[in-house]
Amino acid sequence: MINFAIVGYGNLGRACEKIAHDSKDFNLVGIFTRRDPAIMNSPFGTAFYNQSDIEKFKGKIDVLALCTGSANDLTDLGKRCAANFNTVDSFDTHAKMRDYVTEMQQIASANGNLSFIGIGWDPGLFSLMRAMFQGVLKEGNTQTFWGKGVSQGHSEAIRKIKGVVKGIQYTVPKQEALDKARSGQGANLTTRDKHLRECFVVAADDADKADIERQIVTMPNYFDEYDTIVHFITAEEFDRDHRSMPHGGFVLRSGEVNGQHHNLEFSLKLDSNPDFTASVLMAYAKANAKLYAAGERGAKTILDIPAIALTDEDRIDYIAHTL
Amino acid sequence: MINFAIVGYGNLGRACEKIAHDSKDFNLVGIFTRRDPAIMNSPFGTAFYNQSDIEKFKGKIDVLALCTGSANDLTDLGKRCAANFNTVDSFDTHAKMRDYVTEMQQIASANGNLSFIGIGWDPGLFSLMRAMFQGVLKEGNTQTFWGKGVSQGHSEAIRKIKGVVKGIQYTVPKQEALDKARSGQGANLTTRDKHLRECFVVAADDADKADIERQIVTMPNYFDEYDTIVHFITAEEFDRDHRSMPHGGFVLRSGEVNGQHHNLEFSLKLDSNPDFTASVLMAYAKANAKLYAAGERGAKTILDIPAIALTDEDRIDYIAHTL
């Protein structure tokens, strides 16, 4: 049993809690939160603690999953926790990855801990595919497509517009761009070429729908450079059809070896982004405990961790039936 | 530069030779063959040596690619070479994998060498996908489909039938079975349910085509348990349309986390099976030299080797732009 704890109780933290609760591998020590632990409720009766008390649990937690929301919260939390615990996180700000990995490497190594960084599907499985695809097919072009899936940032941007009662945005890969990438014509595709943004909006009764639509499609950074479709729907339709958090995407590589053409493709179709991300995070939480026991220390990404770390089985047995 | 050599000069050995020749990373020391080196010719002027002289090259080869044909040849060769060299091979007899890995592990470790085993796409990339998919999505079902691609064994079986001048067999995944696997209904699919066998045959002028077709579709082990389609074509059509060695396939996993459904899918579409297999083998040959220099010893499969081993770049740089 792995003594396991979670920091943060949003969608990801909740999904990790349920997996830990349903698994025989994890003993869920508790959930750390910045909210008042006294007012927190878990469907599984998990204990809540104040996030500021986490250091008191040093030695009582084998692996800590960092599930707080924003990138800034997570880097600060990660650096603080890596000094005292083994950690897994799904840090996803690509632009800050270099600094975060470098600092976590230093802190985890100096304190004899093991931190897994950027564990999920992108970063995560998609990163692994990009690395493998590039590695085995040197001459070629890799393209990543996201969706169909909900973008929280874009959904929030819509909801801030006056007159919008409810709003959600789906990022949708364009079939034409997927076809181009598969046929080896993807090198010049931009993110805009590859995706369209589809919005579902519930407007207030007295709202000017044409003006809401104009504000969405012209919004700088978020929508103005994309093909954007806005649908106005009723609150009933919204609640019926847009409550889940599906996501997914594609990593494609098209290239040549010895003048012969080859295509590699990985795709995910997820009914629930947080539940799948949690599943990946929990698999690597278990691998963290295994590799820590085997003497590994420092900061590692999915690119550094061999697939064999994901199994409990005897190595040769596993190779014999999986290879 | 990696001092690199190849044993065996069939399709795979030739494809590795071309990649090594075209790459700045490899110094191609030579090709070892059981045929008479004096009668061998390479388009690149590579030196040929007698396979029985290979031990004389101890200390002059950093990595040796084992590209002989049959499974028996390869296990004997592997065990002999692992005592003196670092090796990479694409050993693909699943039923003998346990013994081979165990013996190679013992020999390579005892002699301070590093052997990579089962490197290609199946075993190889497909094995990695099966392991990753199972690892991150514990509850579910994985299905592997092969094709559309040429099966050498089945093609040879056709060519042995009296009256057959030329023949080739393609293994073709059935769309209906792919759809079932994607929708999570794949658990009970058999290899037969998943694939059909499509044969293209050039018959002798005086041959009884109906009898050839009957002999093919009823052939035990090879065809009798499959849906088999036989096309009779002319020698001209055969030479025009069936000279290449395409292959590919799919690894699918469909499963649940916290009651939510998720699909993972990996696919390959290869214009040339030997060229792509060689590309994977050469990428891991380079990784072998890198990991040997870092102190790794023994026998490893694609499940044991982290993706980061496939790059020359500084680790943090690589993580920063790939993760």
Side-chain angles (χ1 to χ4, degrees), chain A residues 244-319:
Chain A
S244 62
M245 282 176 281
H247 220 310
F250 302 82
V251 181
L252 312 176
R253 188 166 177 84
S254 176
E256 300 219 333
V257 179
N258 294 347
Q260 300 286 321
H261 195 84
H262 309 291
N263 275 336
L264 297 85
E265 179 164 342
F266 174 68
S267 65
L268 287 176
K269 225 169 132 184
L270 311 175
D271 278 2
S272 164
N273 186 358
D275 286 299
F276 184 73
T277 302
S279 187
V280 179
L281 202 63
M282 295 301 288
Y284 280 85
K286 211 176 142 185
N288 183 292
K290 180 179 167 173
L291 293 185
Y292 180 82
E296 302 265 7
R297 300 293 185 271
K300 295 190 185 292
T301 70
I302 199 165
L303 307 182
D304 303 296
I305 304 164
I308 199 97
L310 297 175
T311 183
D312 287 334
E313 257 186 276
D314 171 76
R315 175 174 166 256
I316 298 287
D317 284 346
Y318 188 69
I319 288 170

Side-chain angles (χ1 to χ4, degrees), chain A:
Chain A
M1 291 277 273
I2 297 163
N3 292 310
F4 175 76
I6 298 166
V7 188
Y9 202 54
N11 289 323
L12 183 60
R14 284 169 202 269
C16 287
E17 179 196 24
K18 178 157 170 51
I19 294 169
H21 176 267
D22 291 349
S23 164
K24 60 172 180 30
D25 298 318
F26 294 97
N27 169 42
L28 187 50
V29 174
I31 294 165
F32 294 86
T33 174
R34 290 198 297 198
R35 287 175 276 177
D36 178 0
I39 62 158
M40 300 296 287
N41 270 303
S42 152
F44 308 107
T46 309
F48 286 92
Y49 301 102
N50 199 305
Q51 196 171 309
S52 60
D53 290 334
I54 197 163
E55 278 80 5
K56 295 180 187 162
F57 287 77
K58 185 169 177 168
K60 293 177 185 158
I61 296 168
D62 299 320
V63 185
L64 187 61
L66 310 178
C67 300
T68 54
S70 86
N72 283 338
D73 285 355
L74 187 51
T75 52
D76 292 345
L77 180 70
K79 289 185 271 182
R80 181 177 150 204
C81 290
N84 297 295
F85 303 99
N86 298 322
T87 65
V88 291
D89 71 51
S90 57
F91 183 72
D92 65 357
T93 308
H94 292 267
K96 296 182 178 176
M97 197 58 79
R98 174 188 299 277
D99 291 345
Y100 185 55
V101 172
T102 304
E103 290 178 295
M104 289 291 278
Q105 171 80 41
Q106 191 273 319
I107 296 166
S109 294
N111 292 280
N113 292 321
L114 181 61
S115 287
F116 286 178
I117 287 168
I119 304 292
W121 61 272
D122 196 2
L125 298 181
F126 273 23
S127 320
L128 180 67
M129 297 302 155
R130 288 189 286 263
M132 291 298 304
F133 289 8
Q134 158 87 42
V136 302
L137 188 60
K138 306 279 184 204
E139 303 295 322
N141 177 261
T142 301
Q143 293 288 331
T144 303
F145 291 76
W146 295 274
K148 179 181 178 174
V150 177
S151 164
Q152 298 294 350
H154 290 79
S155 299
E156 278 164 32
I158 292 171
R159 290 193 288 263
K160 283 182 185 158
I161 296 172
K162 189 161 173 280
V164 170
V165 179
K166 298 179 180 209
I168 193 165
Q169 193 261 196
Y170 298 91
T171 305
V172 185
K174 289 186 184 175
Q175 189 60 47
E176 188 193 332
L178 275 169
D179 293 342
K180 267 195 181 168
R182 286 184 183 125
S183 70
Q185 311 295 309
N188 299 315
L189 289 170
T190 63
T191 304
R192 180 193 182 153
D193 294 334
K194 286 155 57 177
H195 302 93
L196 61 84
R197 300 200 174 279
E198 190 169 20
C199 311
F200 293 85
V201 176
V202 179
D205 289 342
D206 59 350
D208 178 347
K209 288 181 182 175
D211 189 58
I212 289 173
E213 180 166 353
R214 187 193 55 74
Q215 287 190 59
I216 292 173
V217 302
T218 60
M219 194 184 297
N221 303 319
Y222 284 86
F223 293 100
D224 63 337
E225 295 193 339
Y226 286 83
D227 292 338
T228 302
I229 301 166
V230 181
H231 305 277
F232 289 95
I233 59 174
T234 65
E236 292 69 36
E237 287 170 325
F238 193 96
D239 291 343
R240 185 190 66 206
D241 300 334
H242 302 285
R243 305 282 297 201
S244 62
M245 282 176 281
H247 220 310
F250 302 82
V251 181
L252 312 176
R253 188 166 177 84
S254 176
E256 300 219 333
V257 179
N258 294 347
Q260 300 286 321
H261 195 84
H262 309 291
N263 275 336
L264 297 85
E265 179 164 342
F266 174 68
S267 65
L268 287 176
K269 225 169 132 184
L270 311 175
D271 278 2
S272 164
N273 186 358
D275 286 299
F276 184 73
T277 302
S279 187
V280 179
L281 202 63
M282 295 301 288
Y284 280 85
K286 211 176 142 185
N288 183 292
K290 180 179 167 173
L291 293 185
Y292 180 82
E296 302 265 7
R297 300 293 185 271
K300 295 190 185 292
T301 70
I302 199 165
L303 307 182
D304 303 296
I305 304 164
I308 199 97
L310 297 175
T311 183
D312 287 334
E313 257 186 276
D314 171 76
R315 175 174 166 256
I316 298 287
D317 284 346
Y318 188 69
I319 288 170
H321 73 74
T322 306
L323 207 70

